[in-house]
Amino acid sequence: MMLRLRVSFPDRPGTLGQVARVLGTLGADILQVTVLEREAGRAVDDFTVSWPGPFDADGIRDRLSAVPGIRVEAVWPTREIPGVAPDYDLLKHVASDPGRAFATLVDAIPDLVSAEWAVAVSSESGELVHRSWQAPQSLDEEGGLSGVKTADLTSLRPSALTAGRHRFMSLPVPGASLHLVLARTEGPSFHRAELDRAIRVVEIVSIISR
């Protein structure tokens, strides 16, 4: 299986190699490293790895955290396939059939940011216009996500938030009276770098669909 590990460590030469060596001793094959931030003398990277069999998140965290200065923020399964440029593939499919632009976006964008599902919500009625696989039938408490209201997930600005066991990303779609909502229950809150990536894709899809 493939795992995503979000790791914070001192931003100095050799520390990234230490993380790689520990992952190697655990049998992980590093497929991709994504830089999320570099500031205040620390780095936060996402490691996408091929993992041999079942995984123990606490065990992985303990082994990596034994290295001075390294902190594991999260370990979770991912469906994203490194190195295949999923952004370009999504945009290619949107351009080939602009009439289904937002349905295509909803189906494909979860894999871009290791989300579990996505929905497009009407900004006017609050109804779900498109749903990806595994998405709930409703975002409201009745028949949907307990304790979460549609109004909470349709903010005027792109945002990342946590409600209960869900981590959400909410993106207004320019010129379409729609909100894109993505969610995951495993892993950390959506990072600003993930939010920025999704924003760029949504903006381009919105332009293509006009």
Side-chain angles (χ1 to χ4, degrees):
M1 68 167 58
M2 286 192 299
L3 299 181
R4 179 76 67 85
L5 295 86
R6 182 159 298 172
V7 182
S8 171
F9 51 88
D11 190 11
R12 59 173 181 256
T15 309
L16 182 60
Q18 289 179 294
V19 175
R21 282 194 294 274
V22 173
L23 290 174
T25 63
L26 294 172
D29 181 15
I30 299 176
L31 305 176
Q32 179 172 283
V33 180
T34 303
V35 178
L36 297 179
E37 64 182 68
R38 291 281 193 277
E39 59 183 32
R42 291 192 68 83
V44 178
D45 289 358
D46 272 3
F47 292 79
T48 303
V49 304
S50 176
W51 193 262
F55 73 98
D56 175 9
D58 290 335
I60 296 171
R61 186 177 289 107
D62 290 344
R63 289 287 295 275
L64 283 169
S65 298
V67 179
I70 291 179
R71 182 172 67 250
V72 180
E73 298 184 0
V75 180
W76 74 103
T78 181
R79 297 196 308 267
E80 182 179 347
I81 301 174
V84 297
D87 310 56
Y88 300 142
D89 287 342
L90 189 162
L91 296 174
K92 179 184 71 175
H93 288 300
V94 168
S96 67
D97 190 358
R100 297 193 71 258
F102 296 116
T104 300
L105 175 68
V106 168
D107 286 339
I109 199 169
D111 288 348
L112 267 63
V113 291
S114 280
E116 294 168 21
W117 51 260
V119 295
V121 186
S122 168
S123 302
E124 299 172 352
S125 67
E127 296 180 354
L128 268 60
V129 179
H130 304 291
R131 300 168 52 249
S132 73
W133 182 64
Q134 293 186 322
Q137 295 289 336
S138 168
L139 295 183
D140 287 321
E141 186 170 352
E142 183 178 352
L145 306 174
S146 179
V148 181
K149 296 295 186 181
T150 300
D152 299 330
L153 301 177
T154 54
S155 58
L156 296 178
R157 297 181 178 178
S159 60
L161 64 151
T162 298
R165 66 190 185 94
H166 286 85
R167 282 76 166 156
F168 292 104
M169 182 192 298
S170 174
L171 305 171
V173 180
S177 296
L178 291 175
H179 265 76
L180 181 69
V181 178
L182 298 95
R184 62 184 176 214
T185 56
E186 297 183 88
S189 299
F190 288 101
H191 191 276
R192 180 68 211 185
E194 294 174 302
L195 190 65
D196 288 343
R197 181 182 185 185
I199 289 171
R200 289 194 297 271
V201 170
V202 169
E203 288 175 344
I204 295 171
V205 170
S206 179
I207 292 171
I208 295 173
S209 68
R210 292 174 188 171

